[in-house]
Amino acid sequence: ATYDVRCSPVTVEGQGGALLCFEDISAREQAEQIRRDFVANVSHELKTPLTAVLGFIETIRGPAKDDAEARDRFLEIMSREAERMNRLVRDLLSLSRVESDERVRPAERVDLVSLVQSAVLTLRPFADENAVEIIVEGDDAPIFAPGDSDQLTQVFTNLIENGVKYGASGKTVRIEISASEREMAFRGPGIRIDVVDQGEGIDPVHIPRLTERFYRVDGHRSREMGGTGLGLAIVKHIINRHRGRFRIESIPGKGSRFSVMLPVR
Ligand code: ADP
């Protein structure tokens, strides 16, 4: 623990003395450290693509001025790097919006079955590109829960997208939806949605940290797939706001299961 010590002179019954105040500031220090790390991470994540873009601008203006083919290639890379910055800023904005909403109870009544189905529809082309099949199990009957539909869409989009990104080509991402009158997690009616992939899986040592901002098992792989390292942090905040539960299970070499449990009332 870290203590902040303050000393003030006191007089007791004519005798001079000192009063020492110890305050445990470990939690405050820790919060401050997390904030510093976050700022350092954001700066680093933005600086890398920005440096690349600036470098290529110089090359296009100078050595590659008369080389149309090289110019096109560099413009292509610059556009990819700019897209990366764009995704990062988009995710940072989502994260900050979700954090500031966290105390406000979501008020819409959302049909989670059709919400998941629309997320799947949006991601089908991306899955096709990666030769991954998305399967939704369970019937089409609506299951309503109080929620914020944009945010819940983001939860399932992020999870399914990860399943495709870190899944294996030729394999599936399965979505299992089930309603229960007594969901263990909140001793009341709930809905549980699992996103299950058949990818490489995750070593158990990483699992508790996956929802930290910018935590990645393999940074290179994540960036290559267009990841920002913020997806699961956003998911966790949204589920917290919905008073739900989030669980990650994985068997290395076999695949992973991401479970979202939401109260229905
Ligand atoms: P990213 O943008 O890097 O995908 P996320 O916050 O969505 O960030 O995920 C954090 C990390 O968790 C990823 O970098 C990856 O290492 C790991 N991860 C997430 N989903 C899966 C999955 N389905 N299979 C294996 N690893 C995963």
Side-chain angles (χ1 to χ4, degrees):
T2 314
Y3 292 95
D4 190 12
V5 187
R6 276 186 306 274
C7 177
S8 13
V10 285
T11 313
V12 182
E13 292 171 4
Q15 289 274 325
L19 177 69
L20 289 179
C21 280
F22 292 83
E23 187 192 353
D24 184 349
I25 56 164
S26 320
R28 212 197 309 157
E29 286 241 311
Q30 206 181 359
E32 186 54 28
Q33 185 60 43
I34 290 173
R35 196 194 61 80
R36 274 197 299 266
D37 289 349
F38 180 65
V39 173
N41 273 321
V42 171
S43 312
H44 176 74
E45 295 287 336
L46 280 173
K47 197 167 181 343
T48 313
L50 197 54
T51 306
V53 168
L54 290 172
F56 283 116
I57 290 176
E58 282 313 301
T59 317
I60 288 175
R61 279 184 171 157
K65 200 156 68 188
D66 303 314
D67 184 343
E69 198 193 316
R71 224 173 36 219
D72 283 352
R73 210 169 56 238
F74 296 153
L75 281 170
E76 180 66 39
I77 303 175
M78 285 160 70
S79 128
R80 221 169 40 224
E81 295 298 318
E83 272 164 25
R84 195 166 130 192
M85 287 188 270
N86 202 18
R87 276 194 302 273
L88 180 65
V89 171
R90 181 204 60 196
D91 281 359
L92 285 169
L93 284 173
S94 291
L95 191 61
S96 102
R97 206 170 308 130
V98 172
E99 277 179 334
S100 60
D101 276 356
E102 211 154 355
R103 273 174 240 285
V104 188
R105 281 264 189 144
E108 284 172 68
R109 225 167 85 86
V110 183
D111 171 14
L112 283 153
V113 175
S114 74
L115 184 140
V116 167
Q117 283 166 344
S118 330
V120 169
L121 215 58
T122 314
L123 288 169
R124 270 248 151 84
F126 176 62
D128 289 345
E129 255 169 58
N130 288 277
V132 171
E133 191 190 357
I134 309 177
I135 300 167
V136 184
E137 283 182 358
D139 62 32
D140 290 346
I143 305 175
F144 287 98
D148 177 314
S149 58
D150 286 343
Q151 289 188 350
L152 291 174
T153 299
Q154 191 167 13
V155 165
F156 297 106
T157 304
N158 287 0
L159 294 180
I160 300 167
E161 206 171 63
N162 279 352
V164 173
K165 276 182 350 193
Y166 303 107
S169 90
K171 297 283 168 91
T172 63
V173 169
R174 212 172 61 242
I175 301 159
E176 303 168 357
I177 308 178
S178 58
S180 117
E181 271 313 302
R182 268 181 71 82
E183 176 57 57
M184 289 287 281
F186 5 81
R187 296 193 211 93
I191 173 166
R192 172 173 166 163
I193 300 170
D194 286 13
V195 179
V196 188
D197 68 58
Q198 299 174 309
E200 69 216 47
I202 307 158
D203 192 302
V205 296
H206 297 291
I207 290 181
R209 300 198 58 191
L210 290 185
T211 56
E212 287 175 22
R213 304 147 171 193
F214 296 116
Y215 189 87
R216 293 147 154 143
V217 176
D218 177 347
H220 183 73
R221 170 100 195 266
S222 152
R223 287 185 189 89
E224 199 150 276
M225 298 296 299
T228 61
L230 295 174
L232 291 180
I234 294 172
V235 164
K236 190 191 80 177
H237 278 288
I238 296 176
I239 295 173
N240 280 349
R241 182 184 173 213
H242 285 77
R243 309 277 195 276
R245 301 279 187 283
F246 183 47
R247 197 165 65 206
I248 306 172
E249 290 163 307
S250 187
I251 303 174
K254 284 223 145 88
S256 314
R257 174 182 290 269
F258 294 78
S259 312
V260 177
M261 284 146 283
L262 295 167
V264 163
R265 252 179 240 138

